[in-house]
Amino acid sequence: MPHELIPSPRRVAEIPPAGLYVLDDETLIEAGPGTEGVARWLRATVGAATGLPLQPGDDSDNRIALSIDPAVERQLGPEGYRIVVDGHALRIHGGSAAGLFWAAQTFRQMLGPDAFRRARVSPRREWTVPCVVVEDAPRFAWRGVLLDVARHFMPKDGVLRYLDLLAAHKLNVLHLHLTDDQGWRIEIERYPRLTEVGAWRARTKVGHRASPLWDERPHGGYYTKDDIREIVAYAAERHITVVPEIDVPGHSQAAIAAYPELGNTDVIDTTTLSVWDTWGVNPNVLAPTDNTLAFYENVLTEVLELFPSPFVHIGGDECPKEQWKASPAAQARMAAEGLADEDELQSWFIRHFDRWLAERGRRLVGWDEILEGRRQGGSLAPGAVVSSWRGLAGGIAAARAGHDVVMCPEQQVYLDHRQAAGPDEPVPIGYVRTLEDVYRFEPVPPELTQEQAAHVLGAQANLWTEVMETQQRVDYQAFPRLAAFAETVWSALPASGARDHADFERRMDAHYRRLDALGVDYRPPGGPRPWQRRPGVLGRPIEGAPPIV
């Protein structure tokens, strides 16, 4: 039986005789122990879209029965689920509350695209789903999306909207890139200038950094602590973990602009620095001083109070060494610590926070540069996680060293990269990564043994926002490719070349209507709509096929 579900489940089978199960104003929700959150979500979301009351009750055949079933957990794992629609009831069983919630996402898709609206648009009082059994479970535990709110700030409501979009695609990690050279986006009470100064830049480069165009309006914003608490709570209700990123020791000019003593004051006059208004790799990095370490320990103390995530990302990438080479203070630190070069100094900086986080029961996550410069002073803590972004090689090296890995190679799943060749793509960046290219992304390199491959926690699609200044631009770059990515990290797909892309495209025909109902400004299959193009804005296209590195 063909189905139109995305991501594709492990098993869908008709229950004979084939037919439809009808939901109407009399349909009840029977919520077993531990299912109350999913029942609440169904009433608030599906109930609003369908107009069905979905009152609580358990004494009718006309009901949606929710349960957490240990047998499902044993067979399919905690995020697994089973849906049984047999004409007598609609039974949804999860291996845990999370598995039950992913089942609710599948049920919503079965109802049709109008179930994705926020209010009822049809006068009909009956809704139908086919009589089937659906069994499903995810391939990976980490099914993530990075949202860069530092380069262009996304107001809180936009983040909440993206959490709903992640949930609709069974994605369960939101990596929030909160700090960078171009802005600091989280309130830290001990250091108010981080947001008073660091959250705002005077103007913004339009397009790639070689572009002659500027937006002369000030840009910025930040999340208060209550905003963060709301985002984290909203995510938790949808079984999504929010992983914060506080970038060190590079990508830190916004922090240095707010607190100049954090920079290499013996090399440059850091009091002249402002929040950076253009893109690229910035030479102004943190000074490796005790004051800097204490400052960021205090920052992270407040961050840990807001984010219950076991994972905390500290960046660790793209840290130019020129200022450290010229800094007597940095050279003195290297001599005191017995470090051979500036690469080892960066590793010393990362290891400090690795130990600091581990002592507090958290796991450091960093870009794959954290593997470098480790000759002196030992290696990363066993719990440290590597985000492999420069290709697959960093992830392969990390897995072979016994570290967990999140695969996010820029050549494959950086969704700021352009979706087609030709002049119509808005601000073309990077390689061409089509919907099919993303669909064929394989997170586990064949070079890994079975034991090493077990260290691949999953994968992540990254949305860097240098040239995505609005929600509409983020939508365009994310969708429909994020739907393809969701299937690659959820579904048990065959090898990359053997995947049935034609069937995926067939199912996407239905999924586009769901995205329409959700108000997503996605890229149509035939190319951008006229208002989605941005002629005259310089990009940075890279020609040819991306290398596998």
Side-chain angles (χ1 to χ4, degrees):
M1 180 190 74
H3 66 82
E4 297 179 333
L5 301 175
I6 288 179
S8 183
R10 292 188 180 186
R11 174 175 175 255
V12 180
E14 287 184 346
I15 294 180
L20 297 173
Y21 185 82
V22 177
L23 298 94
D24 56 26
D25 285 347
E26 304 303 316
T27 300
L28 306 175
I29 291 183
E30 177 187 352
T35 71
E36 297 84 2
V38 175
R40 183 169 58 249
W41 182 88
L42 283 170
R43 290 191 186 96
T45 307
V46 174
T50 61
L52 302 180
L54 300 178
Q55 296 291 337
D58 59 5
D59 59 351
S60 169
D61 284 346
N62 184 5
R63 75 189 191 282
I64 302 168
L66 307 177
S67 68
I68 295 175
D69 188 342
V72 171
E73 182 180 16
R74 287 193 298 271
Q75 180 185 355
L76 298 170
E79 289 192 278
Y81 67 85
R82 180 181 294 114
I83 299 174
V84 181
V85 189
D86 61 7
H88 299 290
L90 196 160
R91 298 178 178 87
I92 304 178
H93 311 279
S96 67
L100 191 72
F101 182 72
W102 306 132
Q105 303 305 317
T106 298
F107 165 61
R108 188 188 191 188
Q109 290 194 17
M110 292 165 67
L111 286 168
D114 281 349
F116 287 78
R117 297 191 178 273
R118 295 196 181 190
R120 184 165 63 97
V121 298
S122 169
R124 62 177 166 149
R125 303 306 305 178
E126 292 185 349
W127 295 71
T128 60
V129 292
C131 291
V132 292
V133 173
V134 181
E135 289 186 338
D136 202 7
R139 180 184 179 192
F140 292 109
W142 187 300
R143 307 181 300 278
V145 174
L146 177 143
L147 191 57
D148 172 15
V149 296
R151 270 52 175 272
H152 277 100
F153 178 64
M154 180 177 283
K156 179 196 67 179
D157 286 354
V159 177
L160 299 179
R161 173 179 178 267
Y162 255 82
L163 285 167
D164 281 330
L165 291 174
L166 265 61
H169 293 83
K170 301 185 175 74
L171 297 164
N172 69 341
V173 175
L174 176 64
H175 173 172
L176 269 185
H177 184 73
L178 289 164
T179 72
D180 215 297
D181 300 303
Q182 296 86 2
W184 184 284
R185 306 294 178 216
I186 179 172
E187 177 187 21
I188 302 297
E189 290 177 355
R190 183 162 183 160
Y191 302 117
R193 286 178 59 82
L194 286 171
T195 47
E196 291 171 356
V197 174
W200 308 93
R201 59 178 180 261
R203 63 175 187 169
T204 300
K205 173 66 69 175
V206 176
H208 182 249
R209 59 181 175 270
S211 166
L213 304 177
W214 294 89
D215 183 343
E216 297 291 348
R217 297 172 298 176
H219 175 83
Y222 66 92
Y223 309 110
T224 67
K225 285 193 165 183
D226 279 346
D227 290 337
I228 293 293
R229 292 183 183 103
E230 182 181 357
I231 288 167
V232 168
Y234 196 84
E237 290 177 351
R238 288 148 183 79
H239 299 275
I240 296 171
T241 299
V242 183
V243 176
E245 181 180 357
I246 305 296
D247 222 330
V248 297
H251 290 286
S252 298
Q253 183 162 317
I256 297 169
Y259 292 92
E261 65 271 21
L262 296 174
N264 294 284
T265 57
D266 54 351
V267 176
I268 64 165
D269 182 1
T270 56
T271 64
T272 66
L273 297 178
S274 58
V275 178
W276 212 26
D277 56 11
T278 189
W279 319 120
V281 179
N282 189 305
N284 296 303
V285 301
L286 297 174
T289 64
D290 290 341
N291 175 69
T292 300
L293 297 180
F295 184 97
Y296 276 88
E297 287 176 2
N298 292 332
V299 167
L300 288 169
T301 296
E302 295 193 30
V303 169
L304 297 190
E305 292 170 354
L306 295 170
F307 293 91
S309 164
F311 305 97
V312 176
H313 208 296
I314 52 78
D317 64 318
E318 295 183 327
C319 179
K321 310 299 191 298
E322 286 75 18
Q323 290 185 0
W324 288 351
K325 291 177 181 178
S327 165
Q331 295 300 309
R333 173 66 78 178
M334 289 168 54
E337 300 292 338
L339 305 175
D341 56 26
E342 288 75 20
D343 286 337
E344 289 190 4
L345 180 59
Q346 179 174 349
S347 180
W348 167 86
F349 203 107
I350 298 302
R351 289 199 315 273
H352 175 89
F353 289 103
D354 186 20
R355 292 189 298 268
W356 189 90
L357 288 166
E359 289 167 358
R360 288 153 182 81
R362 305 298 182 100
R363 299 179 65 182
L364 177 143
V365 190
W367 303 111
D368 53 48
E369 286 96 327
I370 68 173
L371 292 168
E372 299 172 352
R374 294 177 293 147
R375 185 181 67 84
Q376 294 286 342
S379 61
L380 296 167
V385 179
V386 173
S387 298
S388 189
W389 77 273
R390 291 178 295 180
L392 301 174
I396 292 170
R400 286 174 173 169
H403 288 291
D404 287 342
V405 177
V406 176
M407 286 295 190
C408 48
E410 65 168 330
Q411 303 88 349
Q412 310 297 322
V413 289
Y414 269 34
L415 299 187
D416 51 318
H417 282 211
R418 57 195 172 130
Q419 303 186 61
D424 286 342
E425 290 302 308
V427 200
I429 298 293
Y431 297 102
V432 172
R433 293 286 82 193
T434 66
L435 181 66
E436 181 172 358
D437 291 332
V438 175
Y439 185 67
R440 297 193 185 281
F441 167 62
E442 172 49 53
V444 180
E447 298 95 321
L448 295 181
T449 66
Q450 185 175 357
E451 181 181 1
Q452 293 164 352
H455 283 291
V456 179
L457 298 179
Q460 183 169 283
N462 291 350
L463 286 161
W464 300 104
T465 62
E466 286 93 336
V467 299
M468 292 184 239
E469 72 280 9
T470 64
Q471 176 177 286
Q472 288 71 29
R473 285 286 295 120
V474 175
D475 280 3
Y476 180 91
Q477 294 299 134
F479 290 99
R481 293 183 297 179
L482 198 58
F485 174 80
E487 187 151 316
T488 69
V489 291
W490 176 278
S491 302
L493 298 176
S496 177
R499 293 175 187 174
D500 190 347
H501 182 252
D503 178 69
F504 175 75
E505 284 189 314
R506 179 191 65 78
R507 288 180 286 118
M508 278 302 300
D509 287 342
H511 201 65
Y512 286 120
R513 297 195 295 274
R514 298 177 192 129
L515 296 177
D516 287 333
L518 287 166
V520 176
D521 199 20
Y522 58 85
R523 182 189 190 274
R529 299 177 175 95
W531 57 87
Q532 292 174 321
R533 300 168 188 160
R534 300 194 67 198
V537 180
L538 184 66
R540 185 183 57 90
I542 305 175
E543 302 303 332
I548 304 301
V549 294

